[in-house]
Amino acid sequence: MIGKRMQDAMNEQIKHELESAYLYLAMVAHFRAESLDGMAQWMTLQSQEEVAHAMRFFNHIDERDGQVELKALSQPQKEWASPLEAFQAAYEHERFITEKINDLVKLASEEGDHAAGIMLQWFITEQVEEEDSTKKVVDLLERIGDSGHGLIMADRELGTRSAAPAESEE
Ligand code: FEO
């Protein structure tokens, strides 16, 4: 059975992951309105991954006879001044999520909760990948600068992203 402190912290993490999905979905709407369909596609997959992340915590609490509690989500920002600004916000958000995962790992250690510790290992690796993938887009957009042609090429490239195997299996 899951302990109360870990249950509460994981319920909070479900909220963080769903707020991530919500933020990226807001970016989908923004990019679609800007006719940047490739970036919208990239963020659609990102948003779907976040729902899958939330479900990992949801299932973990449930499987250990805990109580899942869904909290109210904050309304995400609606517009960004540029694609670069949106991806910078996504990168900052992923760094925030990494901090939250690290806090959970610390809590698992304090509580001697080995089941949570093992489950969280997947997220440690995932967050390295999440930060890297968003930072790479930030770097790309920084290089492009004000080039309209560059932006069209980047949008086309980002639209080729496919779902991660681990997520598409869920
Ligand atoms: Fe679920 Fe992008 O962190």
Side-chain angles (χ1 to χ4, degrees), residues 17 20 24 46 49-50 53 94 97 123 126-127 130:
E17 299 291 349
S20 305
Y24 299 145
Q46 190 67 25
E49 278 195 13
E50 301 303 349
H53 293 173
E94 287 304 330
I97 294 293
F123 279 96
E126 176 68 4
Q127 281 311 119
E130 295 273 88

Side-chain angles (χ1 to χ4, degrees), residues 17-120:
E17 299 291 349
L18 290 177
E19 283 182 341
S20 305
Y22 225 34
L23 173 65
Y24 299 145
L25 201 54
M27 290 181 181
V28 171
H30 172 73
F31 286 137
R32 283 200 190 166
E34 298 283 315
S35 297
L36 290 166
D37 291 346
M39 294 186 192
Q41 168 65 8
W42 197 98
M43 280 296 172
T44 297
L45 293 174
Q46 190 67 25
S47 180
Q48 289 168 355
E49 278 195 13
E50 301 303 349
V51 175
H53 293 173
M55 287 311 297
R56 282 181 182 256
F57 287 104
F58 186 112
N59 291 335
H60 186 82
I61 294 169
D62 175 60
E63 284 163 13
R64 296 179 66 198
D65 202 23
Q67 188 170 9
V68 172
E69 187 183 322
L70 298 178
K71 298 170 188 293
L73 305 181
S74 308
Q75 183 174 10
Q77 192 174 328
K78 282 192 268 189
E79 288 181 342
W80 289 265
S82 64
L84 173 60
E85 199 181 280
F87 275 93
Q88 276 170 335
Y91 175 55
E92 288 307 315
H93 186 76
E94 287 304 330
R95 291 179 63 182
F96 165 76
I97 294 293
T98 299
E99 275 177 37
K100 294 293 160 193
I101 296 293
N102 288 340
D103 288 347
L104 284 168
V105 171
K106 272 184 226 146
L107 180 62
S109 173
E110 279 168 29
E111 299 273 298
D113 187 340
H114 303 302
I118 289 169
M119 177 266 192
L120 289 164

Side-chain angles (χ1 to χ4, degrees), residues 45 49 126 129 161-170:
L45 293 174
E49 278 195 13
E126 176 68 4
E129 198 258 312
R161 175 180 175 176
S162 52
E167 303 304 335
S168 56
E169 281 164 14
E170 288 180 0

